């Protein structure tokens, strides 16, 4: 199949994860063009550029966040180019160009169940989490936390625990709305990446317990 998957279009952000173990961290690139059946033209890494060692022939899994789903395909770097600007060719996906990895169950968060802090320059600022899934979350703040494609990390602590968990996040989309008295609120759809075992277990248990409370007469139902 030589056609692009519907979730792929010029401007789409792709997260590339090395196929080989211990081959370094993943990074984001942007689709800037393509030759059907031949290659995808993408920017060179948008984050941590100096720390990413790019080698022609290196294999990756490309991931695309689309709503509550994540699509993926296998690819490799075909060629690195520096002129007229830095970009690279990725092998065009074979067969079905996208596979749904999972439909994530999102759980609404009420009250002050979770305490979040984000490192911002010399200080820290509070962030509210609207909902959460194993793939990502919706973060709400009075000011933008960054731009689409930017990476940051938030510290998360449950109301009943003292341990702090680190959630690495990449911003996938931002919506601005007005709240009381015209004050703005920014809703950030973020994708989690490289979560450790403790963070993954926390999300799984948090969703399980939230669903269980909703199903019991004494539980708190989320609207």
């Amino acid at each position: 199949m030589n056609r692009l998957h519907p979730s792929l279009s010029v401007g789409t952000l792709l997260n590339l994860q090395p196929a080989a173990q211990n081959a370094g961290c993943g990074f984001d690139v942007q689709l800037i063009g393509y030759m059907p059946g031949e290659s995808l033209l993408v920017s060179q890494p948008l984050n941590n550029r100096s720390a990413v060692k790019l080698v022609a022939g290196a294999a990756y899994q490309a991931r695309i966040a689309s709503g509550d789903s994540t699509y993926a395909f296998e690819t490799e770097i075909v060629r690195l180019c520096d002129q007229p600007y830095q970009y690279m060719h990725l092998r065009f996906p074979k067969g079905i160009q996208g596979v749904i990895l999972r439909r994530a169950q999102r759980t609404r968060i009420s009250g002050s169940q979770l305490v979040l802090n984000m490192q911002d320059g010399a200080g820290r600022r509070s962030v509210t989490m609207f909902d959460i899934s194993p793939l990502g979350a919706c973060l709400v703040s009075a000011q933008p936390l960054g731009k689409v494609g930017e990476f940051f990390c938030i510290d998360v602590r449950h109301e009943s625990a003292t341990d702090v968990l680190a959630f690495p996040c990449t911003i996938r989309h931002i919506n601005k709305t007005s709240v009381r008295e015209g004050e703005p609120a920014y809703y950030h759809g973020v994708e989690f990446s490289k979560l450790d075992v403790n963070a993954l277990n926390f999300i799984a248990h948090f969703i399980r317990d939230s669903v269980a409370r909703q199903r019991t007469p004494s539980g708190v139902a989320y609207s």
Side-chain angles (χ1 to χ4, degrees):
M1 296 177 64
N2 293 332
R3 293 180 299 174
L4 284 181
H5 186 271
S7 63
L8 271 174
S9 60
V10 173
T12 296
L13 288 175
L14 289 79
N15 179 256
L16 299 183
Q17 295 290 334
Q21 294 184 347
N22 302 320
C25 298
F27 53 89
D28 290 335
V29 298
Q30 187 173 40
L31 181 65
I32 59 177
Y34 61 95
M35 178 65 71
E38 297 295 333
S39 65
L40 300 177
L41 277 65
V42 301
S43 64
Q44 291 196 26
L46 300 177
N47 56 303
N48 299 326
R49 178 175 299 180
S50 61
V52 176
K53 183 177 181 180
L54 302 174
V55 180
Y60 291 88
Q61 182 186 69
R63 299 178 181 180
I64 310 158
S66 180
D68 285 340
S69 299
T70 298
Y71 297 86
F73 58 86
E74 303 300 323
T75 188
E76 67 179 39
I77 297 177
V78 177
R79 183 178 180 183
L80 296 163
C81 303
D82 293 323
Q83 298 294 332
Y85 46 82
Q86 289 188 321
Y87 68 100
M88 56 186 179
H89 292 256
L90 299 180
R91 177 168 51 81
F92 198 88
K94 296 180 179 179
I96 298 176
Q97 287 86 13
V99 178
I100 296 179
L101 293 180
R102 67 184 300 170
R103 176 66 65 175
Q105 180 181 18
R106 287 188 174 272
T107 299
R108 291 281 293 273
I109 298 172
S110 65
S112 58
Q113 285 182 293
L114 299 180
V115 177
L116 291 79
N117 286 287
M118 174 183 173
Q119 188 71 34
D120 184 17
R124 304 179 74 85
R125 56 175 170 171
S126 178
V127 183
T128 301
M129 186 175 287
F130 181 75
D131 61 31
I132 190 172
S133 80
L135 297 178
C138 178
L139 304 179
V140 186
S141 64
Q143 298 86 27
L145 300 178
K147 299 179 181 179
V148 173
E150 287 188 348
F151 175 88
F152 61 89
C153 191
I154 55 174
D155 293 332
V156 180
R157 178 169 56 85
H158 191 261
E159 58 183 358
S160 63
T162 57
D163 293 337
V164 176
L165 299 171
F167 281 38
C169 303
T170 300
I171 299 176
R172 294 307 184 192
H173 58 82
I174 304 173
N175 291 324
K176 178 183 178 182
T177 63
S178 295
V179 292
R180 61 183 183 279
E181 300 180 357
E183 295 179 357
Y186 294 85
Y187 288 73
H188 306 75
V190 301
E191 180 184 11
F192 296 143
S193 61
K194 300 292 184 180
L195 292 178
D196 62 24
V197 174
N198 291 333
L200 289 171
N201 287 338
F202 171 81
I203 294 174
H205 285 94
F206 182 85
I207 292 176
R208 183 198 62 192
D209 294 344
S210 296
V211 171
R213 284 197 299 270
Q214 294 178 47
R215 292 176 177 172
T216 60
S218 60
V220 178
Y222 298 99
S223 59

